């Protein structure tokens, strides 16, 4: 696909999903896509390599978060991988600050290249495990919101993400159509970590006659994270909240 065709298609698909996008944002996402496919030849960044699927399953999917992000300014993507949703949102919101965190360093080298090429000055990249980084004073309860996609089941994910968030901040969680089951499993995690689900946004898209039903949960942090959390990885794995 030629660059301008990709940009046109991206704008059209955003419009279909009621996502506002400017030409500059679409141009920058196109550059991100080019780097993603280039680097994907050398390292495993994404299993999605068809450009139309990148538009839908990566870019438009991540941009659905814009429907629940409001005045949050300092946002952390926990388990960002190749930058989803954090890098897409950092490209979209130049006026918000994004911290992209992952336990796997090699993908972060790719993300640094995206930051350099697109000259993004609103992105910080951190290598580490969420449950360890969140205990450090400079990251603990410092963010207005977290975002995350495809990282862990909700009770585990909330233990990874909520310690980063200030009281009254939000955990924004992207999930597939099994979200209801995960929410049912999460009442203990929500209570223990002082969280309350305040909004749920459902959306869907079709690719090759296959329908994808997806949800974004917006969860409010109503009190400080108890000192004990997050626990270490072994404890979280052995006994999820
Ligand atoms: N969010 C990206 C996406 O939707 O394409 C990546 C999803 S990938 C399936 C899960 C990512 O979460 C991996 O890159 C993994 O290294 C990271 N991850 C899992 N547990 C983590 C933890 N405790 N701390 C930091 N990163 C973690």
């Amino acid at each position: 696909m030629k660059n301008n065709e990709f940009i046109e298609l991206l704008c059209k698909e955003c419009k279909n999903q009621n996502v506002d996008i400017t030409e500059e944002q679409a141009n920058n996402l196109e550059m991100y896509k080019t780097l993603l496919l280039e680097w994907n030849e050398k390292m495993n960044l994404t299993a999605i390599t068809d450009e139309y699927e990148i538009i839908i399953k990566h870019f438009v999917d991540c941009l659905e978060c814009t429907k629940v992000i409001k005045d949050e300014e300092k946002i952390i993507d926990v388990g960002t991988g190749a930058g989803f949703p954090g890098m897409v949102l950092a490209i979209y919101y130049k006026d918000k600050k994004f911290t992209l965190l992952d336990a796997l360093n090699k993908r972060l080298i790719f993300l640094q290249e995206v930051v350099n090429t697109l000259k993004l000055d609103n992105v910080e990249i951190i290598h580490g495990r969420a449950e360890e980084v969140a205990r450090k004073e400079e990251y603990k309860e410092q963010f207005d919101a977290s975002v995350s996609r495809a990282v862990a089941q909700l009770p585990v994910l909330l233990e990874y993400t909520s310690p980063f968030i200030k009281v009254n901040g939000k955990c924004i969680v992207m999930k597939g159509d099994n979200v209801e089951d995960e929410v049912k499993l999460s009442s203990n995690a929500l209570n223990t970590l002082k969280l309350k689900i305040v909004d749920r946004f459902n959306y869907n898209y079709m690719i090759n006659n296959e329908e994808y039903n997806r949800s974004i949960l917006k969860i409010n942090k109503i009190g400080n994270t108890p000192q004990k959390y997050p626990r270490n990885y072994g404890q979280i794995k052995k006994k999820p909240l």
Side-chain angles (χ1 to χ4, degrees):
M1 205 183 286
K2 288 186 187 138
N3 294 0
N4 61 333
E5 287 170 352
F6 183 93
I7 291 165
E8 266 174 39
L9 197 53
L10 172 60
C11 291
K12 180 172 157 250
E13 295 298 343
C14 280
K15 204 166 170 216
N16 282 347
Q17 292 293 119
N18 289 317
V19 172
D20 291 328
I21 191 168
T22 65
E23 212 176 300
E24 190 199 342
Q25 290 162 334
N27 272 322
N28 283 335
L29 287 171
E30 194 281 329
M31 281 158 70
Y32 177 23
K33 176 268 307 178
T34 301
L35 287 170
L36 179 72
L37 290 179
E38 224 175 87
W39 279 61
N40 204 39
E41 310 246 315
K42 302 180 269 184
M43 63 171 70
N44 179 17
L45 291 172
T46 175
I48 300 170
T49 53
D50 175 79
E51 295 191 49
Y52 180 65
E53 290 198 28
I54 291 179
I55 288 179
I56 303 292
K57 292 186 179 172
H58 282 330
F59 292 169
V60 183
D61 189 49
C62 294
L63 290 171
E64 296 283 356
C65 290
T66 60
K67 296 179 186 160
V68 297
I69 293 173
K70 303 281 182 232
D71 49 7
E72 295 84 6
E73 283 180 359
K74 209 173 162 220
I75 301 176
I76 182 163
D77 180 357
V78 176
T80 190
F84 305 113
M87 183 63 88
V88 175
L89 294 171
I91 289 170
Y92 189 86
Y93 291 115
K94 290 268 181 73
D95 54 343
K96 297 185 190 288
K97 289 200 177 333
F98 286 84
T99 297
L100 310 184
L101 169 75
D102 204 282
L104 210 69
N105 197 37
K106 61 176 191 170
R107 294 195 177 129
L108 302 181
I109 298 168
F110 161 70
L111 293 178
Q112 189 58 54
E113 175 71 13
V114 178
V115 165
N116 296 346
T117 308
L118 272 67
K119 300 188 172 42
L120 299 173
D121 60 8
N122 59 335
V123 177
E124 174 193 30
I125 295 170
I126 308 178
H127 175 221
R129 293 203 60 89
E131 63 280 16
E132 291 166 11
V133 178
R135 297 197 77 90
K136 297 186 180 167
E137 283 309 315
E138 66 263 43
Y139 294 110
K140 187 177 171 184
E141 302 199 318
Q142 294 297 315
F143 293 85
D144 301 315
S146 69
V147 287
S148 40
R149 185 181 83 163
V151 175
Q153 282 256 313
L154 195 53
V156 171
L157 183 68
L158 293 176
E159 189 165 350
Y160 287 162
T161 56
S162 62
F164 286 106
I165 308 305
K166 297 173 189 167
V167 175
N168 274 325
K170 309 285 183 288
C171 294
I172 294 169
V173 178
M174 302 179 72
K175 285 286 177 189
D177 58 2
N178 55 349
V179 67
E180 215 48 73
D181 296 338
E182 291 198 43
V183 168
K184 279 187 197 142
L185 279 177
S186 300
S187 50
N188 185 42
L190 290 164
N191 280 335
T192 308
L193 298 167
K194 317 272 185 227
L195 302 170
K196 190 168 185 263
I197 299 177
V198 286
D199 197 5
R200 175 169 165 187
F201 169 71
N202 299 321
Y203 61 99
N204 55 47
Y205 51 78
M206 297 278 289
I207 294 187
N208 300 330
N209 288 328
E210 197 176 335
E211 189 175 12
Y212 293 82
N213 293 303
R214 305 198 35 83
S215 286
I216 299 178
L217 298 175
K218 191 166 189 178
I219 300 169
N220 197 9
K221 180 158 166 177
I222 52 183
N224 292 104
T225 304
Q227 201 52 38
K228 189 176 162 191
Y229 302 101
R231 296 165 295 161
N232 67 40
Y233 176 66
Q235 290 169 307
I236 296 175
K237 196 171 172 222
K238 198 167 150 203
K239 209 163 181 278
L241 285 171

